[in-house]
Amino acid sequence: MIISPDIERQAEDLLAFYRRYRLTLATVESCTGGMVAAALTGIPGASDVIDRGYVTYSNRAKHEMVGVPKELLERFGAVSEQAARAMAIGALSRCPANVTVAITGIAGPGGGSEEKPVGLVHFAAAREGRETLHVERRFGEIGRAAIRSESVLQALELLRQMAEE
């Protein structure tokens, strides 16, 4: 995976920001397959901020690793606001990180539907004592690599928002 200069710069800035506030984070990634964690851990010294990364590509992984209820996945689907929120909250309850970010979406080129088209990605960030944030993005059919890269940037921005006091 090649990290763009823009992603690398945002990752560096985010790590500095988290150090300033003495926060740690964990990622829960589906359609990005660990790209957010890779962008952050690609920066030397990231281990004082990054606690762990979960790649929860399947529904089974979402359930087993971060506790997303099977009923929620059956009712709303893996690509939903409800699933993203459950992923972020579940990770927060399972690890010592202060902040978690979750990403679930359809990167394509196939797999989309009229209701959930290619390019639909849901993001959530959780922090103890705070309201869980959610963002829905519809990137469109801009290509798998572009959807995933744009998703990394959105996740980094959401992590930044969740850290601000």
Side-chain angles (χ1 to χ4, degrees), residues 5-140:
D6 192 34
I7 289 174
E8 186 174 15
R9 186 174 45 258
Q10 287 204 30
E12 286 175 341
D13 290 348
L14 182 74
L15 290 171
F17 193 74
Y18 269 60
R19 283 185 189 104
R20 190 173 326 128
Y21 289 101
R22 294 184 171 94
L23 295 170
T24 59
L25 67 89
T27 64
V28 189
E29 302 181 63
S30 186
C31 65
T32 49
M35 290 174 67
V36 176
L40 291 165
T41 59
I43 308 299
S47 62
D48 62 342
V49 174
I50 310 303
D51 179 69
R52 65 191 71 191
Y54 299 93
V55 176
T56 57
Y57 208 70
S58 69
N59 284 356
R60 181 177 179 179
K62 288 172 182 64
H63 174 70
E64 290 178 359
M65 295 175 76
V66 294
V68 177
K70 289 179 183 179
E71 301 77 27
L72 182 148
L73 293 167
E74 289 168 6
R75 181 173 178 196
F76 299 104
V79 180
S80 64
E81 175 180 350
Q82 295 84 353
R85 286 178 181 274
M87 290 163 65
I89 293 166
L92 191 63
S93 72
R94 283 174 163 69
C95 75
N98 305 112
V99 180
T100 60
V101 66
I103 305 122
T104 184
I106 303 168
S113 67
E114 190 172 315
E115 182 183 329
K116 295 183 180 183
V118 169
L120 171 64
V121 184
H122 287 274
F123 304 84
R127 181 174 176 185
E128 190 172 305
R130 298 242 181 123
E131 181 180 339
T132 300
L133 299 179
H134 168 261
V135 171
E136 176 186 310
R137 296 289 304 271
R138 291 178 181 260
F139 296 111

Side-chain angles (χ1 to χ4, degrees), residues 151-164:
S151 293
V152 171
L153 288 169
Q154 178 62 65
L156 293 173
E157 174 58 32
L158 196 56
L159 281 167
R160 174 92 180 203
Q161 289 174 22
M162 186 52 79
E164 293 174 347

